Amino acid sequence: MKKHLIPAAVLTLVMLVFFTVIYPVAVWGIAQFSPNSGKGEIIEHEGRHHYANIGQSFIRDDYFWSRPSAVDYNAGGSGGSNKGPSNEEYLASVQARIDTFLSHNPGMDKSQVPVDLITASGSGLDPHISIQAAEVQVARVARKRNLPEDTVSELVASQAEKPLLGIFGPARINVLKLNLALDELR
């Protein structure tokens, strides 16, 4: 029995030190080389602080809408709805989002609504939407702000973020940054 207990106790202590000291210090050290030293991107606008890497709710028609959140944009509890594509409650909420989007964007067909505007991300906190999701909202935002659609389209194009290293993931747009830039057009 002693033959098994001593290696188990040693392994437990080694793992305890590794996962509570060495690994966190290594992750912290790597984070120091990232933008803002791993503290996230904080944007100050009109005396308020916003976090660019956490999704935020935009529901007014004069702003670009964000991706829906399964956690009501609460950064304290990231997570998805865990409802499958055949769940009736989930399907009803997706249909309600489609209906809401179409009622605020007249003249648009259901098939034109991008999936990222009607489904939440896995974390529920995705701050980005696809370029297509921004483009389908241009007419509504331009109309509500009395701006030419071309001006709003150019703003969308200027806010597009390329894929990581040019190959990983799709091009996307940070909704917070886009809406703050939109406010600057006044």
Side-chain angles (χ1 to χ4, degrees):
M1 187 154 149
K2 194 178 198 185
K3 178 176 138 185
H4 297 294
L5 283 178
I6 292 175
V10 169
L11 180 62
T12 300
L13 288 174
V14 168
M15 291 295 112
L16 183 69
V17 169
F18 179 78
F19 287 114
T20 61
V21 178
I22 297 170
Y23 179 74
V25 168
V27 170
W28 176 83
I30 293 168
Q32 299 313 300
F33 295 105
S34 68
N36 205 18
S37 299
K39 294 179 180 131
E41 186 178 352
I42 301 169
I43 299 173
E44 188 173 336
H45 181 72
E46 296 180 358
R48 296 183 62 199
H49 290 72
H50 305 278
Y51 292 89
N53 52 346
I54 297 175
Q56 298 172 43
S57 178
F58 289 96
I59 55 172
R60 290 182 15 199
D61 283 347
D62 58 336
Y63 283 108
F64 286 90
W65 292 359
S66 337
R67 189 165 188 174
S69 174
V71 295
D72 199 26
Y73 304 98
N74 180 359
S78 167
S81 70
N82 293 331
K83 294 176 182 162
S86 61
N87 182 293
E88 289 184 27
E89 186 180 329
Y90 174 73
L91 293 173
S93 68
V94 168
Q95 187 59 52
R97 290 174 186 153
I98 292 170
D99 294 341
T100 300
F101 187 81
L102 292 175
S103 70
H104 289 265
N105 295 275
M108 185 170 273
D109 186 49
K110 181 178 178 177
S111 65
Q112 295 173 296
V113 181
V115 71
D116 54 328
L117 288 177
I118 56 173
T119 59
S121 66
S123 70
L125 298 170
D126 192 350
H128 297 94
I129 57 174
S130 65
I131 293 174
Q132 179 191 10
E135 288 173 346
V136 299
Q137 299 181 71
V138 165
R140 182 195 75 236
V141 172
R143 185 176 63 251
K144 290 294 182 179
R145 289 189 175 246
N146 295 317
L147 292 169
E149 281 189 36
D150 290 344
T151 301
V152 179
S153 289
E154 288 170 12
L155 180 66
V156 167
S158 73
Q159 292 294 313
E161 299 175 4
K162 296 188 180 349
L164 180 65
L165 302 176
I167 56 171
F168 296 110
R172 59 195 186 165
I173 295 178
N174 184 296
V175 180
L176 172 65
K177 290 179 182 179
L178 176 61
N179 284 330
L180 291 177
L182 187 61
D183 282 344
E184 297 297 318
L185 286 179
R186 290 185 205 149

